[in-house]
């Protein structure tokens, strides 16, 4: 009887050990599967970004009848060289110089439209009226609009997840791109230029904005005649063209440039 009990107990112990070992093996297999899936996702994020950029490039060329001299594959290659293998918080604006020089578009004088804190409004406006061009309406701006990317030190891959947030660092990979592209767009500004600012916020001409800190400082009075500000407000609510921040904008401009401001209710379009 004692031997029988001992045998049963030993069998139960052995079953428990086998079940525990099976559970451990399943956990290891699951962990490996998750790691492989995650690694594959990270690896493919760059491929997905490449497909998006090349597809947008080709679409822009087709829709705008732009010169076929633009090589979308070359644009991708030069773009990657700006940040791959680098600390995502240590990509200065000049890292994108080659990309800017690869995509040279003639400016459309008298139609260039700048904006600050009005992105959705300004593009809603330009979609309905094909008489203005924002940075996002150029080839480079159209390709990169709304995308996120970064590299990592010691890696030859491109990432679209796990990148620092916009305000995490000064030389942020994406921020540096938009600062450089905005500078180039402003340097090309010619003729009668417009800007759409938000009249529903405390400071329409915000000193830290890209428009104030980069674009306005690069306006060239030898190429520009005037700057017209469209101050967008809600109906009967918001700032007026007498706002002190707009007075500061006037002071920033070359005295040779004619300045005007028009308060516009968003409901008008």
């Amino acid at each position: 009887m004692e031997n029988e009990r001992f045998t049963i107990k030993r069998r139960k112990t052995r079953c428990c050990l086998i079940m525990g070992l099976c559970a451990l093996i399943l956990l290891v297999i699951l962990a490996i599967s998750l790691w492989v899936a995650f690694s594959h996702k990270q690896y493919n994020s760059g491929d997905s970004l490449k497909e998006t950029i090349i597809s947008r490039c080709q679409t822009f060329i087709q829709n705008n009848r732009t010169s076929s001299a633009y090589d979308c594959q070359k644009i991708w290659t030069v773009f990657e060289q700006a940040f791959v293998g680098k600390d995502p918080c240590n990509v200065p604006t000049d890292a994108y110089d080659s990309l800017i020089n690869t995509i040279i578009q003639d400016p459309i004088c008298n139609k260039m439209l700048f904006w600050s804190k009005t992105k959705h409004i300004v593009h809603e406006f330009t979609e309905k009226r094909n008489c203005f061009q924002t940075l996002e309406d150029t080839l480079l701006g159209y390709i990169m609009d709304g995308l996120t990317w970064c590299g990592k030190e010691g890696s030859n891959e491109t990432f679209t997840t796990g990148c620092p947030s916009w305000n995490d660092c000064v030389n942020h990979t994406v921020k540096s791109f938009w600062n450089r592209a905005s500078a180039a767009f402003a340097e090309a500004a010619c003729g009668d230029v417009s800007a759409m600012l938000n009249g529903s916020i405390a400071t329409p001409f915000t000193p830290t904005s890209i428009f104030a800190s980069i674009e306005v400082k690069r306006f060239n009075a030898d190429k520009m005649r005037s700057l017209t500000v469209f101050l967008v407000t809600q109906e009967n609510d918001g700032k007026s063209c007498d706002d002190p921040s707009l007075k500061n904008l006037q002071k920033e401009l070359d005295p040779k440039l004619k300045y005007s401001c028009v308060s516009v209710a968003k409901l008008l379009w």
Side-chain angles (χ1 to χ4, degrees), residues 113-132 195-200 229-235 262-269:
L113 176 60
F114 294 81
W115 57 270
S116 181
K117 314 297 182 185
T118 55
K119 180 175 182 178
H120 297 298
I121 298 172
V122 77
H123 292 128
E124 179 185 335
F125 177 76
T126 55
E127 282 177 10
K128 294 178 180 178
R129 293 169 173 78
N130 189 27
C131 53
F132 288 101
M196 187 173 287
L197 307 183
N198 192 336
S200 297
V229 170
F230 295 112
L231 187 65
V232 183
T233 63
Q234 299 298 324
E235 192 173 25
V262 180
S263 183
V264 183
K266 183 179 180 299
L267 293 179
L268 290 181
W269 71 79

mmCIF file of all heavy atoms in Angstrom, residues 113-132 195-200 229-235 262-269:
data_model
loop_
_atom_site.group_PDB
_atom_site.id
_atom_site.type_symbol
_atom_site.label_atom_id
_atom_site.label_comp_id
_atom_site.label_asym_id
_atom_site.label_seq_id
_atom_site.Cartn_x
_atom_site.Cartn_y
_atom_site.Cartn_z
ATOM 1 N N LEU A 113 2.359 81.750 -50.056
ATOM 2 C CA LEU A 113 1.561 81.968 -48.851
ATOM 3 C C LEU A 113 2.212 81.276 -47.653
ATOM 4 O O LEU A 113 2.390 80.058 -47.643
ATOM 5 C CB LEU A 113 0.143 81.428 -49.061
ATOM 6 C CG LEU A 113 -0.825 81.475 -47.873
ATOM 7 C CD1 LEU A 113 -1.043 82.909 -47.399
ATOM 8 C CD2 LEU A 113 -2.161 80.832 -48.259
ATOM 9 N N PHE A 114 2.561 82.070 -46.651
ATOM 10 C CA PHE A 114 3.131 81.548 -45.413
ATOM 11 C C PHE A 114 2.016 81.443 -44.365
ATOM 12 O O PHE A 114 0.949 82.040 -44.516
ATOM 13 C CB PHE A 114 4.252 82.463 -44.921
ATOM 14 C CG PHE A 114 5.443 82.478 -45.847
ATOM 15 C CD1 PHE A 114 5.436 83.265 -46.988
ATOM 16 C CD2 PHE A 114 6.551 81.692 -45.600
ATOM 17 C CE1 PHE A 114 6.509 83.265 -47.872
ATOM 18 C CE2 PHE A 114 7.636 81.684 -46.468
ATOM 19 C CZ PHE A 114 7.621 82.479 -47.604
ATOM 20 N N TRP A 115 2.268 80.688 -43.309
ATOM 21 C CA TRP A 115 1.225 80.539 -42.289
ATOM 22 C C TRP A 115 1.849 80.267 -40.925
ATOM 23 O O TRP A 115 2.991 79.828 -40.819
ATOM 24 C CB TRP A 115 0.255 79.412 -42.661
ATOM 25 C CG TRP A 115 0.885 78.058 -42.874
ATOM 26 C CD1 TRP A 115 1.362 77.557 -44.048
ATOM 27 C CD2 TRP A 115 1.133 77.057 -41.885
ATOM 28 N NE1 TRP A 115 1.882 76.297 -43.865
ATOM 29 C CE2 TRP A 115 1.746 75.963 -42.548
ATOM 30 C CE3 TRP A 115 0.880 76.967 -40.526
ATOM 31 C CZ2 TRP A 115 2.130 74.796 -41.870
ATOM 32 C CZ3 TRP A 115 1.252 75.809 -39.841
ATOM 33 C CH2 TRP A 115 1.867 74.743 -40.517
ATOM 34 N N SER A 116 1.068 80.540 -39.893
ATOM 35 C CA SER A 116 1.499 80.245 -38.533
ATOM 36 C C SER A 116 0.271 79.961 -37.680
ATOM 37 O O SER A 116 -0.640 80.777 -37.597
ATOM 38 C CB SER A 116 2.287 81.430 -37.948
ATOM 39 O OG SER A 116 2.720 81.137 -36.635
ATOM 40 N N LYS A 117 0.251 78.776 -37.078
ATOM 41 C CA LYS A 117 -0.866 78.323 -36.226
ATOM 42 C C LYS A 117 -2.188 78.260 -36.999
ATOM 43 O O LYS A 117 -3.261 78.396 -36.418
ATOM 44 C CB LYS A 117 -1.046 79.248 -35.015
ATOM 45 C CG LYS A 117 0.235 79.618 -34.281
ATOM 46 C CD LYS A 117 0.914 78.429 -33.670
ATOM 47 C CE LYS A 117 2.162 78.848 -32.892
ATOM 48 N NZ LYS A 117 2.928 77.694 -32.369
ATOM 49 N N THR A 118 -2.102 78.056 -38.289
ATOM 50 C CA THR A 118 -3.330 78.000 -39.108
ATOM 51 C C THR A 118 -3.243 76.877 -40.145
ATOM 52 O O THR A 118 -3.843 76.971 -41.219
ATOM 53 C CB THR A 118 -3.558 79.333 -39.858
ATOM 54 O OG1 THR A 118 -2.383 79.641 -40.623
ATOM 55 C CG2 THR A 118 -3.873 80.472 -38.918
ATOM 56 N N LYS A 119 -2.505 75.809 -39.853
ATOM 57 C CA LYS A 119 -2.220 74.795 -40.875
ATOM 58 C C LYS A 119 -3.484 74.250 -41.551
ATOM 59 O O LYS A 119 -3.580 74.239 -42.772
ATOM 60 C CB LYS A 119 -1.425 73.636 -40.266
ATOM 61 C CG LYS A 119 -1.098 72.558 -41.305
ATOM 62 C CD LYS A 119 -0.208 71.464 -40.755
ATOM 63 C CE LYS A 119 0.113 70.450 -41.848
ATOM 64 N NZ LYS A 119 1.022 69.374 -41.379
ATOM 65 N N HIS A 120 -4.452 73.801 -40.758
ATOM 66 C CA HIS A 120 -5.644 73.194 -41.350
ATOM 67 C C HIS A 120 -6.469 74.238 -42.110
ATOM 68 O O HIS A 120 -7.014 73.956 -43.182
ATOM 69 C CB HIS A 120 -6.495 72.523 -40.266
ATOM 70 C CG HIS A 120 -5.790 71.384 -39.588
ATOM 71 N ND1 HIS A 120 -5.385 70.257 -40.270
ATOM 72 C CD2 HIS A 120 -5.391 71.202 -38.299
ATOM 73 C CE1 HIS A 120 -4.777 69.427 -39.434
ATOM 74 N NE2 HIS A 120 -4.765 69.974 -38.236
ATOM 75 N N ILE A 121 -6.532 75.431 -41.552
ATOM 76 C CA ILE A 121 -7.315 76.494 -42.190
ATOM 77 C C ILE A 121 -6.691 76.903 -43.521
ATOM 78 O O ILE A 121 -7.382 77.046 -44.534
ATOM 79 C CB ILE A 121 -7.413 77.723 -41.261
ATOM 80 C CG1 ILE A 121 -8.137 77.356 -39.966
ATOM 81 C CG2 ILE A 121 -8.129 78.877 -41.949
ATOM 82 C CD1 ILE A 121 -8.111 78.449 -38.913
ATOM 83 N N VAL A 122 -5.371 77.067 -43.523
ATOM 84 C CA VAL A 122 -4.707 77.547 -44.735
ATOM 85 C C VAL A 122 -4.797 76.529 -45.869
ATOM 86 O O VAL A 122 -4.989 76.891 -47.039
ATOM 87 C CB VAL A 122 -3.234 77.928 -44.444
ATOM 88 C CG1 VAL A 122 -2.336 76.718 -44.336
ATOM 89 C CG2 VAL A 122 -2.699 78.865 -45.526
ATOM 90 N N HIS A 123 -4.724 75.251 -45.530
ATOM 91 C CA HIS A 123 -4.800 74.247 -46.591
ATOM 92 C C HIS A 123 -6.236 73.998 -47.039
ATOM 93 O O HIS A 123 -6.478 73.651 -48.206
ATOM 94 C CB HIS A 123 -4.116 72.960 -46.133
ATOM 95 C CG HIS A 123 -2.637 73.114 -45.988
ATOM 96 N ND1 HIS A 123 -1.947 72.768 -44.856
ATOM 97 C CD2 HIS A 123 -1.716 73.654 -46.838
ATOM 98 C CE1 HIS A 123 -0.671 73.066 -45.020
ATOM 99 N NE2 HIS A 123 -0.512 73.611 -46.205
ATOM 100 N N GLU A 124 -7.158 74.225 -46.148
ATOM 101 C CA GLU A 124 -8.571 74.185 -46.548
ATOM 102 C C GLU A 124 -8.830 75.317 -47.549
ATOM 103 O O GLU A 124 -9.545 75.150 -48.532
ATOM 104 C CB GLU A 124 -9.458 74.347 -45.312
ATOM 105 C CG GLU A 124 -10.951 74.344 -45.598
ATOM 106 C CD GLU A 124 -11.778 74.621 -44.350
ATOM 107 O OE1 GLU A 124 -11.280 74.355 -43.239
ATOM 108 O OE2 GLU A 124 -12.912 75.129 -44.489
ATOM 109 N N PHE A 125 -8.194 76.452 -47.288
ATOM 110 C CA PHE A 125 -8.338 77.629 -48.152
ATOM 111 C C PHE A 125 -7.699 77.395 -49.523
ATOM 112 O O PHE A 125 -8.304 77.664 -50.564
ATOM 113 C CB PHE A 125 -7.701 78.835 -47.461
ATOM 114 C CG PHE A 125 -7.711 80.098 -48.270
ATOM 115 C CD1 PHE A 125 -8.876 80.831 -48.420
ATOM 116 C CD2 PHE A 125 -6.556 80.560 -48.880
ATOM 117 C CE1 PHE A 125 -8.889 82.006 -49.174
ATOM 118 C CE2 PHE A 125 -6.552 81.725 -49.632
ATOM 119 C CZ PHE A 125 -7.731 82.443 -49.776
ATOM 120 N N THR A 126 -6.457 76.891 -49.537
ATOM 121 C CA THR A 126 -5.751 76.714 -50.810
ATOM 122 C C THR A 126 -6.354 75.594 -51.656
ATOM 123 O O THR A 126 -6.225 75.600 -52.883
ATOM 124 C CB THR A 126 -4.253 76.430 -50.578
ATOM 125 O OG1 THR A 126 -4.105 75.296 -49.701
ATOM 126 C CG2 THR A 126 -3.569 77.635 -49.962
ATOM 127 N N GLU A 127 -6.981 74.628 -51.014
ATOM 128 C CA GLU A 127 -7.642 73.556 -51.775
ATOM 129 C C GLU A 127 -8.820 74.099 -52.584
ATOM 130 O O GLU A 127 -9.122 73.624 -53.677
ATOM 131 C CB GLU A 127 -8.127 72.459 -50.838
ATOM 132 C CG GLU A 127 -7.016 71.520 -50.374
ATOM 133 C CD GLU A 127 -7.521 70.492 -49.379
ATOM 134 O OE1 GLU A 127 -8.764 70.402 -49.199
ATOM 135 O OE2 GLU A 127 -6.691 69.784 -48.780
ATOM 136 N N LYS A 128 -9.482 75.118 -52.021
ATOM 137 C CA LYS A 128 -10.650 75.687 -52.696
ATOM 138 C C LYS A 128 -10.259 76.776 -53.688
ATOM 139 O O LYS A 128 -11.017 77.075 -54.608
ATOM 140 C CB LYS A 128 -11.612 76.266 -51.656
ATOM 141 C CG LYS A 128 -12.248 75.207 -50.752
ATOM 142 C CD LYS A 128 -13.150 75.849 -49.719
ATOM 143 C CE LYS A 128 -13.798 74.805 -48.816
ATOM 144 N NZ LYS A 128 -14.655 75.419 -47.777
ATOM 145 N N ARG A 129 -9.099 77.372 -53.464
ATOM 146 C CA ARG A 129 -8.660 78.456 -54.344
ATOM 147 C C ARG A 129 -7.240 78.192 -54.812
ATOM 148 O O ARG A 129 -6.291 78.298 -54.036
ATOM 149 C CB ARG A 129 -8.713 79.800 -53.592
ATOM 150 C CG ARG A 129 -10.126 80.228 -53.243
ATOM 151 C CD ARG A 129 -10.092 81.411 -52.281
ATOM 152 N NE ARG A 129 -11.406 81.972 -52.048
ATOM 153 C CZ ARG A 129 -12.311 81.433 -51.233
ATOM 154 N NH1 ARG A 129 -12.031 80.304 -50.615
ATOM 155 N NH2 ARG A 129 -13.484 82.012 -51.043
ATOM 156 N N ASN A 130 -7.086 77.872 -56.049
ATOM 157 C CA ASN A 130 -5.786 77.513 -56.592
ATOM 158 C C ASN A 130 -4.993 78.751 -57.013
ATOM 159 O O ASN A 130 -4.513 78.858 -58.141
ATOM 160 C CB ASN A 130 -5.966 76.571 -57.783
ATOM 161 C CG ASN A 130 -4.648 75.988 -58.246
ATOM 162 O OD1 ASN A 130 -3.727 75.859 -57.456
ATOM 163 N ND2 ASN A 130 -4.559 75.672 -59.526
ATOM 164 N N CYS A 131 -4.907 79.701 -56.083
ATOM 165 C CA CYS A 131 -4.211 80.950 -56.418
ATOM 166 C C CYS A 131 -3.071 81.239 -55.438
ATOM 167 O O CYS A 131 -2.456 82.306 -55.508
ATOM 168 C CB CYS A 131 -5.190 82.111 -56.450
ATOM 169 S SG CYS A 131 -6.193 82.280 -54.977
ATOM 170 N N PHE A 132 -2.800 80.308 -54.520
ATOM 171 C CA PHE A 132 -1.708 80.483 -53.565
ATOM 172 C C PHE A 132 -0.909 79.190 -53.468
ATOM 173 O O PHE A 132 -1.420 78.100 -53.748
ATOM 174 C CB PHE A 132 -2.238 80.849 -52.177
ATOM 175 C CG PHE A 132 -2.789 82.243 -52.078
ATOM 176 C CD1 PHE A 132 -4.159 82.459 -52.107
ATOM 177 C CD2 PHE A 132 -1.947 83.332 -51.960
ATOM 178 C CE1 PHE A 132 -4.681 83.741 -52.018
ATOM 179 C CE2 PHE A 132 -2.455 84.621 -51.868
ATOM 180 C CZ PHE A 132 -3.818 84.828 -51.900
ATOM 181 N N ALA A 195 0.663 86.025 -45.847
ATOM 182 C CA ALA A 195 0.817 85.168 -44.671
ATOM 183 C C ALA A 195 -0.529 85.058 -43.966
ATOM 184 O O ALA A 195 -1.237 86.059 -43.827
ATOM 185 C CB ALA A 195 1.869 85.739 -43.720
ATOM 186 N N MET A 196 -0.879 83.869 -43.547
ATOM 187 C CA MET A 196 -2.136 83.654 -42.833
ATOM 188 C C MET A 196 -1.826 83.347 -41.371
ATOM 189 O O MET A 196 -1.207 82.335 -41.054
ATOM 190 C CB MET A 196 -2.927 82.505 -43.472
ATOM 191 C CG MET A 196 -4.320 82.344 -42.894
ATOM 192 S SD MET A 196 -5.311 81.103 -43.793
ATOM 193 C CE MET A 196 -5.666 81.999 -45.320
ATOM 194 N N LEU A 197 -2.264 84.241 -40.493
ATOM 195 C CA LEU A 197 -1.998 84.096 -39.063
ATOM 196 C C LEU A 197 -3.300 83.874 -38.296
ATOM 197 O O LEU A 197 -4.387 84.233 -38.763
ATOM 198 C CB LEU A 197 -1.271 85.328 -38.525
ATOM 199 C CG LEU A 197 0.012 85.745 -39.257
ATOM 200 C CD1 LEU A 197 0.655 86.935 -38.541
ATOM 201 C CD2 LEU A 197 0.995 84.579 -39.340
ATOM 202 N N ASN A 198 -3.163 83.319 -37.114
ATOM 203 C CA ASN A 198 -4.322 82.974 -36.295
ATOM 204 C C ASN A 198 -4.699 84.144 -35.378
ATOM 205 O O ASN A 198 -3.972 84.475 -34.444
ATOM 206 C CB ASN A 198 -4.010 81.727 -35.463
ATOM 207 C CG ASN A 198 -5.236 81.132 -34.809
ATOM 208 O OD1 ASN A 198 -6.223 81.824 -34.577
ATOM 209 N ND2 ASN A 198 -5.188 79.849 -34.513
ATOM 210 N N GLY A 199 -5.857 84.738 -35.640
ATOM 211 C CA GLY A 199 -6.313 85.861 -34.829
ATOM 212 C C GLY A 199 -7.109 85.433 -33.615
ATOM 213 O O GLY A 199 -7.608 86.272 -32.869
ATOM 214 N N SER A 200 -7.207 84.115 -33.403
ATOM 215 C CA SER A 200 -7.968 83.615 -32.261
ATOM 216 C C SER A 200 -7.075 83.173 -31.108
ATOM 217 O O SER A 200 -7.545 82.602 -30.130
ATOM 218 C CB SER A 200 -8.849 82.432 -32.692
ATOM 219 O OG SER A 200 -9.804 82.857 -33.653
ATOM 220 N N VAL A 229 -0.863 90.347 -44.581
ATOM 221 C CA VAL A 229 -1.253 89.393 -43.538
ATOM 222 C C VAL A 229 -2.757 89.201 -43.560
ATOM 223 O O VAL A 229 -3.520 90.160 -43.524
ATOM 224 C CB VAL A 229 -0.815 89.897 -42.143
ATOM 225 C CG1 VAL A 229 -1.441 89.038 -41.042
ATOM 226 C CG2 VAL A 229 0.705 89.887 -42.027
ATOM 227 N N PHE A 230 -3.181 87.956 -43.663
ATOM 228 C CA PHE A 230 -4.588 87.605 -43.489
ATOM 229 C C PHE A 230 -4.748 87.119 -42.055
ATOM 230 O O PHE A 230 -4.246 86.041 -41.704
ATOM 231 C CB PHE A 230 -5.005 86.503 -44.472
ATOM 232 C CG PHE A 230 -4.949 86.914 -45.910
ATOM 233 C CD1 PHE A 230 -4.011 86.360 -46.767
ATOM 234 C CD2 PHE A 230 -5.825 87.867 -46.407
ATOM 235 C CE1 PHE A 230 -3.952 86.731 -48.109
ATOM 236 C CE2 PHE A 230 -5.778 88.257 -47.742
ATOM 237 C CZ PHE A 230 -4.842 87.689 -48.587
ATOM 238 N N LEU A 231 -5.392 87.919 -41.239
ATOM 239 C CA LEU A 231 -5.586 87.570 -39.834
ATOM 240 C C LEU A 231 -6.927 86.851 -39.705
ATOM 241 O O LEU A 231 -7.987 87.472 -39.780
ATOM 242 C CB LEU A 231 -5.549 88.825 -38.965
ATOM 243 C CG LEU A 231 -5.580 88.601 -37.450
ATOM 244 C CD1 LEU A 231 -4.315 87.865 -36.994
ATOM 245 C CD2 LEU A 231 -5.705 89.938 -36.718
ATOM 246 N N VAL A 232 -6.874 85.551 -39.512
ATOM 247 C CA VAL A 232 -8.095 84.739 -39.498
ATOM 248 C C VAL A 232 -8.711 84.707 -38.112
ATOM 249 O O VAL A 232 -8.055 84.357 -37.123
ATOM 250 C CB VAL A 232 -7.792 83.294 -39.952
ATOM 251 C CG1 VAL A 232 -9.074 82.472 -39.999
ATOM 252 C CG2 VAL A 232 -7.120 83.300 -41.313
ATOM 253 N N THR A 233 -9.971 85.092 -38.037
ATOM 254 C CA THR A 233 -10.679 85.111 -36.754
ATOM 255 C C THR A 233 -12.010 84.376 -36.890
ATOM 256 O O THR A 233 -12.498 84.137 -37.990
ATOM 257 C CB THR A 233 -10.964 86.553 -36.299
ATOM 258 O OG1 THR A 233 -11.842 87.172 -37.259
ATOM 259 C CG2 THR A 233 -9.681 87.360 -36.192
ATOM 260 N N GLN A 234 -12.571 84.033 -35.751
ATOM 261 C CA GLN A 234 -13.954 83.571 -35.748
ATOM 262 C C GLN A 234 -14.827 84.813 -35.913
ATOM 263 O O GLN A 234 -14.403 85.923 -35.587
ATOM 264 C CB GLN A 234 -14.287 82.860 -34.432
ATOM 265 C CG GLN A 234 -13.442 81.618 -34.171
ATOM 266 C CD GLN A 234 -13.638 80.541 -35.218
ATOM 267 O OE1 GLN A 234 -14.743 80.352 -35.734
ATOM 268 N NE2 GLN A 234 -12.564 79.831 -35.559
ATOM 269 N N GLU A 235 -16.025 84.670 -36.398
ATOM 270 C CA GLU A 235 -16.886 85.821 -36.664
ATOM 271 C C GLU A 235 -17.094 86.645 -35.399
ATOM 272 O O GLU A 235 -17.506 86.130 -34.361
ATOM 273 C CB GLU A 235 -18.240 85.351 -37.210
ATOM 274 C CG GLU A 235 -19.077 86.493 -37.769
ATOM 275 C CD GLU A 235 -20.344 85.992 -38.448
ATOM 276 O OE1 GLU A 235 -20.808 84.893 -38.094
ATOM 277 O OE2 GLU A 235 -20.853 86.700 -39.327
ATOM 278 N N VAL A 262 -5.276 92.316 -43.290
ATOM 279 C CA VAL A 262 -6.716 92.202 -43.511
ATOM 280 C C VAL A 262 -7.267 91.187 -42.512
ATOM 281 O O VAL A 262 -6.786 90.056 -42.432
ATOM 282 C CB VAL A 262 -7.030 91.722 -44.945
ATOM 283 C CG1 VAL A 262 -8.537 91.617 -45.143
ATOM 284 C CG2 VAL A 262 -6.406 92.648 -45.968
ATOM 285 N N SER A 263 -8.245 91.588 -41.738
ATOM 286 C CA SER A 263 -8.898 90.672 -40.801
ATOM 287 C C SER A 263 -9.989 89.910 -41.551
ATOM 288 O O SER A 263 -10.864 90.518 -42.173
ATOM 289 C CB SER A 263 -9.493 91.458 -39.629
ATOM 290 O OG SER A 263 -10.057 90.565 -38.688
ATOM 291 N N VAL A 264 -9.920 88.583 -41.493
ATOM 292 C CA VAL A 264 -10.835 87.751 -42.271
ATOM 293 C C VAL A 264 -11.529 86.745 -41.351
ATOM 294 O O VAL A 264 -10.862 86.012 -40.601
ATOM 295 C CB VAL A 264 -10.092 86.981 -43.378
ATOM 296 C CG1 VAL A 264 -11.077 86.170 -44.215
ATOM 297 C CG2 VAL A 264 -9.295 87.929 -44.257
ATOM 298 N N ALA A 265 -12.870 86.709 -41.406
ATOM 299 C CA ALA A 265 -13.605 85.721 -40.630
ATOM 300 C C ALA A 265 -13.558 84.382 -41.362
ATOM 301 O O ALA A 265 -13.756 84.321 -42.575
ATOM 302 C CB ALA A 265 -15.063 86.166 -40.460
ATOM 303 N N LYS A 266 -13.266 83.342 -40.632
ATOM 304 C CA LYS A 266 -13.131 82.019 -41.255
ATOM 305 C C LYS A 266 -14.413 81.615 -42.006
ATOM 306 O O LYS A 266 -14.363 80.910 -43.006
ATOM 307 C CB LYS A 266 -12.812 80.960 -40.209
ATOM 308 C CG LYS A 266 -12.589 79.576 -40.783
ATOM 309 C CD LYS A 266 -12.252 78.570 -39.701
ATOM 310 C CE LYS A 266 -12.039 77.184 -40.317
ATOM 311 N NZ LYS A 266 -13.184 76.649 -41.000
ATOM 312 N N LEU A 267 -15.531 82.069 -41.535
ATOM 313 C CA LEU A 267 -16.808 81.683 -42.140
ATOM 314 C C LEU A 267 -16.944 82.179 -43.574
ATOM 315 O O LEU A 267 -17.814 81.729 -44.314
ATOM 316 C CB LEU A 267 -17.965 82.219 -41.304
ATOM 317 C CG LEU A 267 -18.125 81.599 -39.895
ATOM 318 C CD1 LEU A 267 -19.294 82.230 -39.173
ATOM 319 C CD2 LEU A 267 -18.332 80.079 -39.995
ATOM 320 N N LEU A 268 -16.088 83.127 -43.952
ATOM 321 C CA LEU A 268 -16.188 83.671 -45.305
ATOM 322 C C LEU A 268 -15.826 82.649 -46.377
ATOM 323 O O LEU A 268 -16.101 82.845 -47.542
ATOM 324 C CB LEU A 268 -15.285 84.919 -45.440
ATOM 325 C CG LEU A 268 -15.763 86.160 -44.659
ATOM 326 C CD1 LEU A 268 -14.795 87.311 -44.892
ATOM 327 C CD2 LEU A 268 -17.166 86.561 -45.103
ATOM 328 N N TRP A 269 -15.167 81.548 -45.960
ATOM 329 C CA TRP A 269 -14.905 80.492 -46.937
ATOM 330 C C TRP A 269 -15.293 79.149 -46.392
ATOM 331 O O TRP A 269 -15.267 78.141 -47.060
ATOM 332 C CB TRP A 269 -13.465 80.497 -47.427
ATOM 333 C CG TRP A 269 -12.450 80.053 -46.435
ATOM 334 C CD1 TRP A 269 -12.140 78.771 -46.067
ATOM 335 C CD2 TRP A 269 -11.565 80.886 -45.699
ATOM 336 N NE1 TRP A 269 -11.135 78.760 -45.154
ATOM 337 C CE2 TRP A 269 -10.753 80.033 -44.906
ATOM 338 C CE3 TRP A 269 -11.369 82.272 -45.610
ATOM 339 C CZ2 TRP A 269 -9.762 80.543 -44.053
ATOM 340 C CZ3 TRP A 269 -10.403 82.738 -44.770
ATOM 341 C CH2 TRP A 269 -9.612 81.888 -44.006
#
